[in-house]
Amino acid sequence: KKCDALADALESRLGEHLEFSRPKGGMFLWARFREPRNCAEWMKKTLEQGVVFVPGEFFYADNPDHSTFRLSFATATEEQMHEAVARLKRAL
């Protein structure tokens, strides 16, 4: 399953930095940094690596959690997801 491939890649490469629940369906995986981080700012660095995500703060009506973000696993191949996670790590 694609969501498992993404979750496995995140656990192995970024598990020390992130917490998340494995999706049981859908198209997205939500993650949260264990330490405070502004994901909208971090996205500037990930874009330089060729990876885009949606900062979670845009889904909050009040008191946004800037340490959250949403990744899609709907259209990427498993190889692309592994490469994307490697690039996310480089952007730290």
Side-chain angles (χ1 to χ4, degrees):
K1 237 161 74 165
K2 287 184 171 187
C3 63
D4 289 329
L6 178 58
D8 290 346
L10 289 170
E11 275 181 355
S12 68
R13 292 196 171 135
L14 292 168
E16 67 197 76
H17 301 285
L18 299 177
E19 55 189 27
F20 59 90
S21 297
R22 287 178 176 261
K24 293 185 175 151
M27 303 183 310
F28 304 104
L29 182 147
W30 280 85
R32 183 178 185 280
F33 275 94
R34 297 177 190 277
E35 71 277 355
R37 178 178 295 268
N38 184 319
C39 286
E41 287 297 314
W42 180 52
M43 190 170 65
K44 294 174 185 174
K45 292 180 182 177
T46 69
L47 285 171
E48 292 172 1
Q49 294 291 326
V51 179
V52 67
F53 57 84
V54 180
E57 68 186 72
F58 300 123
F59 295 93
Y60 287 77
D62 290 322
N63 303 316
D65 185 345
H66 298 281
S67 297
T68 61
F69 62 101
R70 186 179 83 169
L71 295 167
S72 173
F73 53 82
T75 59
T77 66
E78 288 188 27
E79 285 181 20
Q80 289 170 326
M81 286 187 275
H82 283 281
E83 178 61 26
V85 172
R87 291 179 185 194
L88 289 173
K89 186 171 183 174
R90 284 196 300 265
L92 291 178

